[in-house]
Amino acid sequence: YQGVACHVFYNILFTKWFGPSQVITKVAVSQLIMAPLLTLPCAYVFKGLVFGKTIRQTLEDYWVGVTQKGLLFSFWKLWVPVQFLLFAVIPPHLRIPLSSIFSFCWTVILSRKTMTNHS
């Protein structure tokens, strides 16, 4: 789903809404609106459902990640520079494949951020 959703948002809707050259606007909308309200909560919900948690429990986990574990700051450290690169330099047909490579890196970071110590 992620590749299709990214293609629709970043290559179609963002271009329609903001034009082809509004890099800062695209990054700001993606990072300040979409990430905290859509992208990250969805990732937490999917992960939580896989581990048998309720949606409420996963959203509580998300809130803890944001308020106590620096989740958004970690997210922004990776994705703000990546998205500047994607929107400013990378041709639209290569954005999603390159984004997928960085998404794999983010998944590793997110997993480490959300790990709990069971010792």
Side-chain angles (χ1 to χ4, degrees), residues 6 9 11-14 17-18 20 25 31 44 75 78 84 88 93 97 101:
C6 287
F9 274 105
N11 291 342
I12 297 173
L13 294 177
F14 274 26
W17 295 338
F18 310 120
T25 303
Q31 297 302 307
Y44 268 76
F75 186 83
L78 174 70
F84 269 108
H93 70 281
I101 292 167

Side-chain angles (χ1 to χ4, degrees), residues 52-67:
K53 292 184 176 184
T54 67
I55 291 175
R56 181 181 178 92
Q57 289 171 318
T58 61
L59 292 177
E60 288 171 356
D61 290 345
Y62 172 65
W63 184 249
V64 168
V66 169
T67 60

Side-chain angles (χ1 to χ4, degrees), residues 2 78-79 82 96-109:
Q2 186 179 9
L78 174 70
W79 284 105
V82 167
I96 305 313
L98 185 59
S99 180
S100 295
I101 292 167
F102 285 103
S103 184
F104 173 78
C105 296
W106 170 248
T107 301
V108 172
I109 294 167

Side-chain angles (χ1 to χ4, degrees), residues 24-113:
I24 292 173
T25 303
K26 291 175 183 179
V27 172
V29 168
S30 178
Q31 297 302 307
L32 299 176
I33 297 171
M34 289 179 58
L37 300 177
L38 179 67
T39 309
L40 291 170
C42 283
Y44 268 76
V45 167
F46 284 125
K47 180 182 176 185
L49 292 175
V50 166
F51 288 103
K53 292 184 176 184
T54 67
I55 291 175
R56 181 181 178 92
Q57 289 171 318
T58 61
L59 292 177
E60 288 171 356
D61 290 345
Y62 172 65
W63 184 249
V64 168
V66 169
T67 60
Q68 297 176 19
K69 296 184 179 181
L71 175 67
L72 284 176
F73 296 111
S74 296
F75 186 83
W76 291 332
K77 281 192 258 183
L78 174 70
W79 284 105
V80 169
V82 167
Q83 286 196 327
F84 269 108
L85 174 70
L86 291 175
F87 293 131
V89 178
I90 305 300
H93 70 281
L94 295 176
R95 286 180 187 154
I96 305 313
L98 185 59
S99 180
S100 295
I101 292 167
F102 285 103
S103 184
F104 173 78
C105 296
W106 170 248
T107 301
V108 172
I109 294 167
L110 181 61
S111 293
R112 292 186 53 80
K113 276 262 180 225

